[in-house]
Amino acid sequence: MKKYITEQSMEQSDYYLKNLENTINKISLMQFEMLTDRYVNQIAIGYDSHDSYARIQAILSVQSRLQSIRNMSPIVEDIKLYAPKENIALSAVTGLGEFDSQMINEKNLRHPSQIVYSSGKLYMTISDLSPITIDPMKETPTVILEIELSIPEIENDLVQSNIRTYSGIVILRIGDQYQFTYDSNGENQFEPFLKSETDGNSNQLQLSEERNISGKSYMVIQVAASKDNKLLLQQFIPKDVIFKQVHRRAIWFWIFTVLTFVAICFFLAYNNNTIHRPLLQMVRAFKRVEEGNLETVIHHNHQDEYRYLYEQFNWTVDSLRHLIDEQYRKTILLQTAELKQLQSQINPHFLYNSLFIVVRMIKLEKLEEAVIFVDQLAQYFRFVTKNSSDLVVLENEVQHAKNYANIQQTRFNNRVTLIFGEVPERFKPRQVPRLIIQPLIENAYIHGMEDKLDKGVLSITFELNDQQLKICVEDNGDRAEDNLARIHACLNTDDSFDKETTAIRNVDRRLKSVFGPNSGLNASLSRRYGGICICIIIEGEDLSHA
């Protein structure tokens, strides 16, 4: 606080003193400019030689300029022009008059443009004579310009600029003799010893120090303007006033701090009870729903906005639970219907061809082969027509697909080489939908191997890649690009296709329904054999640890 008051006082005092000096310099400049005015010279030299009109015009013009200088600042009391040789005195206030030698003080002429205190007034006087050679006893100036400054206005301006509770005592010195002392506390005035004057190497002096006067401690602020005008301003601030301000502000500061702290505590408590806790309760409820707990219910007993939000949340969760249950039932029914559709899609030609093969074996007396074939055929129909769960272990699904491939191999009479990979042991117990491999093998035989007279290849492999189990069925059948376009169209649309292609679409949907949208079928051209490659993709985080 002490530093703050000191800096504020120094800045304000410096501003006041600079403003006063600038005003005085402007007045002095206009005073010098008037010396070169042709009407001033017309009055000062050969006034009587001019006609009446010229004399009146000169008087009016000069008086107008004198009034403009007087009006430029309230501190100008009056400005006068003296023409001693023409016995003329012209004032901005009183107008035209006769010159009297008693009007001019010799001291004023010896200090041109400087402020001189004389007879209780402040003057700024210049003449057309040099201040060095001037001798009023021997030589009379032709023209003299004298400006009288208003002491009351200067003092009033000083008082107005220092109205503060901690102003203390302010002393203004102008020139060598004039000094004004103002005590803001109404105490007795005193004349302090002025410690510092402006030196010859500095245009401005600013000091701040402590001083003890009459047993009382003061903070002294001293600011000096240019030495030409000899302006000096001192301010004596009682230290007890400074500390009184500090003490008062400290008390208010702590009161404000305590009240602010209490208000913040109340606000935080209110905010916690009315906003934070209800929001936290809702966030936790959302997290429970996100984790799959659809039995979450939020209870709220207050009649406010959160009651409506909670009721809508409970209603939404309840509706979501019913929608999920309904969708789940529809999904189960759809899977069952698709499985039934697959089970009912027993190709009549497959049945006729199989019975024809049995008859032919019996006629050729290949009874043992016929028994094996009939047993394979029986296992096939038993698996297809079994009305148990839609899920089976992968080992049984692969065994059924291998059995179906062996039946087809008997029919194709070794025109196709069958490569059937082994299921990794760790994947054998995994649950998968029924009838997902056999439709792919059936599609390969019908659309890829049907026209192959020899050197047909059908490969079924198993591999694990990036948490994905892939079961790939590849062939080297003809018209691979046409068949691939047909499969892609089936997987991407709901249009009707032949039974084998529709079965592929059912397999894709059932895989996505059980294992998620990233699972299903992926069809492409086989890089190994040149035909079609259809891969069953089963995705799951547990596959990498299976």
Side-chain angles (χ1 to χ4, degrees):
M1 179 59 69
K2 174 182 176 182
K3 181 180 179 181
Y4 169 78
I5 292 178
T6 302
E7 292 177 352
Q8 289 291 317
S9 299
M10 290 186 68
E11 291 178 2
Q12 193 163 4
S13 299
D14 184 58
Y15 174 79
Y16 168 79
L17 212 56
K18 284 184 177 179
N19 188 50
L20 178 60
E21 183 181 26
N22 290 335
T23 302
I24 293 174
N25 290 337
K26 290 179 182 179
I27 296 172
S28 177
L29 179 61
M30 295 186 69
Q31 187 181 26
F32 273 104
E33 289 177 350
M34 278 204 67
L35 286 178
T36 60
D37 187 86
R38 66 187 184 91
Y39 290 113
V40 171
N41 294 324
Q42 186 176 330
I43 294 174
I45 303 174
Y47 176 76
D48 292 335
S49 64
H50 298 283
D51 56 32
S52 299
Y53 176 79
R55 290 197 297 269
I56 293 174
Q57 184 182 17
I59 292 296
L60 293 177
S61 177
V62 171
Q63 188 173 17
S64 177
R65 288 202 62 177
L66 294 177
Q67 290 175 347
S68 65
I69 296 176
R70 179 177 181 272
N71 294 332
M72 72 171 291
S73 175
I75 69 171
V76 179
E77 182 72 24
D78 192 9
I79 176 169
K80 300 175 182 178
L81 181 143
Y82 299 117
K85 294 182 180 182
E86 301 294 335
N87 197 30
I88 295 175
L90 185 60
S91 170
V93 177
T94 61
L96 184 63
E98 293 185 359
F99 174 74
D100 184 356
S101 61
Q102 299 298 324
M103 294 179 178
I104 299 300
N105 190 323
E106 176 188 347
K107 182 175 65 173
N108 297 356
L109 291 175
R110 292 189 177 278
H111 300 85
S113 75
Q114 291 187 1
I115 301 175
V116 178
Y117 183 71
S118 175
S119 302
K121 297 181 179 181
L122 292 173
Y123 295 99
M124 294 174 61
T125 307
I126 63 172
S127 69
D128 59 337
L129 298 180
S130 170
I132 299 176
T133 61
I134 186 171
D135 188 350
M137 301 300 295
K138 298 180 180 180
E139 186 176 5
T140 302
T142 302
V143 59
I144 301 171
L145 283 173
E146 182 182 75
I147 297 177
E148 179 185 346
L149 300 180
S150 175
I151 294 178
E153 285 293 336
I154 295 175
E155 295 176 351
N156 182 66
D157 191 21
L158 176 63
V159 172
Q160 293 298 324
S161 64
N162 286 276
I163 297 179
R164 296 188 301 270
T165 57
Y166 55 85
S167 294
I169 301 170
V170 180
I171 299 175
L172 173 64
R173 170 169 286 191
I174 301 177
D176 295 327
Q177 297 181 354
Y178 173 76
Q179 178 172 301
F180 169 68
T181 303
Y182 167 70
D183 188 350
S184 63
N185 298 320
E187 298 178 356
N188 294 328
Q189 299 180 359
F190 64 97
E191 300 292 334
F193 173 74
L194 297 180
K195 178 180 179 181
S196 302
E197 297 286 349
T198 54
D199 54 32
N201 299 322
S202 176
N203 291 326
Q204 188 176 29
L205 175 66
Q206 291 187 343
L207 295 175
S208 175
E209 62 178 16
E210 293 186 18
R211 186 182 299 180
N212 192 286
I213 301 175
S214 301
K216 193 172 183 179
S217 182
Y218 291 88
M219 177 62 63
V220 182
I221 309 297
Q222 180 169 296
V223 180
S226 66
K227 61 181 181 180
D228 293 334
N229 293 321
K230 296 183 179 181
L231 300 178
L232 183 66
L233 183 66
Q234 284 186 317
Q235 185 173 0
F236 294 79
I237 305 175
K239 292 187 66 176
D240 57 348
V241 174
I242 297 178
F243 289 108
K244 183 179 181 181
Q245 293 287 332
V246 173
H247 182 66
R248 183 185 298 113
R249 295 193 180 190
I251 293 176
W252 281 110
F253 170 78
W254 285 112
I255 293 176
F256 177 77
T257 302
V258 172
L259 292 177
T260 302
F261 178 77
V262 173
I264 291 175
C265 291
F266 275 109
F267 173 76
L268 292 177
Y270 175 80
N271 182 71
N272 183 64
N273 291 330
T274 59
I275 299 177
H276 181 69
R277 284 187 179 180
L279 285 178
L280 183 60
Q281 187 177 7
M282 180 170 286
V283 170
R284 290 174 177 172
F286 272 113
K287 288 184 178 180
R288 289 196 296 269
V289 172
E290 184 180 357
E291 293 170 356
N293 183 7
L294 298 180
E295 301 298 329
T296 302
V297 178
I298 305 179
H299 300 285
H300 192 66
N301 298 324
H302 300 287
Q303 294 293 337
D304 53 18
E305 293 82 358
Y306 287 102
R307 183 180 184 86
Y308 173 77
L309 291 177
Y310 290 165
E311 289 177 350
Q312 292 302 310
F313 173 83
N314 296 335
W315 178 84
T316 302
V317 172
D318 185 66
S319 300
L320 181 62
R321 182 171 60 250
H322 285 87
L323 288 174
I324 291 176
D325 292 342
E326 183 178 354
Q327 185 64 31
Y328 179 75
R329 287 193 298 270
K330 288 181 179 180
T331 303
I332 295 299
L333 292 175
L334 179 61
Q335 291 179 4
T336 304
E338 291 176 345
L339 177 60
K340 295 296 182 182
Q341 183 181 12
L342 287 175
Q343 291 174 333
S344 63
Q345 286 180 356
I346 300 175
N347 196 323
H349 295 287
F350 171 74
L351 180 59
Y352 297 155
N353 291 336
S354 298
L355 294 177
F356 177 77
I357 291 173
V358 173
V359 173
R360 189 180 62 180
M361 285 182 177
I362 294 175
K363 286 182 178 181
L364 295 176
E365 296 183 355
K366 296 181 179 180
L367 300 180
E368 292 184 1
E369 295 179 6
V371 170
I372 295 174
F373 185 80
V374 171
D375 182 61
Q376 292 174 344
L377 198 59
Q379 292 179 16
Y380 168 79
F381 282 106
R382 184 185 302 115
F383 189 86
V384 169
T385 58
K386 190 174 182 181
N387 291 323
S388 60
S389 172
D390 180 39
L391 298 177
V392 295
V393 295
L394 181 58
E395 182 180 16
N396 293 343
E397 176 65 20
V398 172
Q399 183 60 40
H400 167 72
K402 187 181 295 185
N403 183 60
Y404 173 78
N406 289 331
I407 294 175
Q408 291 286 20
Q409 283 296 97
T410 303
R411 174 196 165 198
F412 278 79
N413 196 20
N414 298 324
R415 288 155 47 192
V416 177
T417 300
L418 178 64
I419 304 173
F420 215 111
E422 291 294 329
V423 183
E425 288 293 331
R426 56 180 179 174
F427 298 138
K428 288 183 177 181
R430 182 171 184 82
Q431 295 283 327
V432 297
R434 283 159 40 101
L435 298 176
I436 58 173
I437 304 177
Q438 180 232 308
L440 307 186
I441 297 176
E442 183 178 3
N443 177 77
Y445 274 110
I446 294 176
H447 295 284
M449 303 290 104
E450 190 71 33
D451 297 332
K452 281 283 186 181
L453 299 179
D454 60 357
K455 296 183 180 180
V457 178
L458 179 62
S459 171
I460 299 94
T461 58
F462 304 85
E463 62 181 57
L464 179 65
N465 183 22
D466 295 333
Q467 298 183 354
Q468 287 183 341
L469 173 62
K470 291 186 177 181
I471 305 174
C472 297
V473 179
E474 300 180 75
D475 62 61
N476 66 340
D478 300 328
R479 301 188 303 277
E481 293 183 356
D482 294 339
N483 290 332
L484 180 63
R486 175 180 54 81
I487 294 172
H488 281 165
C490 176
L491 292 176
N492 296 326
T493 65
D494 293 330
D495 297 339
S496 299
F497 292 87
D498 53 65
K499 292 182 178 180
E500 293 80 10
T501 309
T502 303
I504 291 177
R505 181 168 60 196
N506 289 343
V507 170
D508 180 67
R509 289 179 176 177
R510 292 165 62 223
L511 288 170
K512 283 181 168 53
S513 175
V514 174
F515 298 110
N518 294 328
S519 300
L521 297 182
N522 181 28
S524 62
L525 293 176
S526 174
R527 296 182 179 179
R528 187 182 307 174
Y529 301 110
I532 298 296
C533 174
I534 303 180
C535 291
I536 297 174
I537 299 176
I538 300 175
E539 189 175 78
E541 295 182 358
D542 59 326
L543 293 175
S544 59
H545 307 290

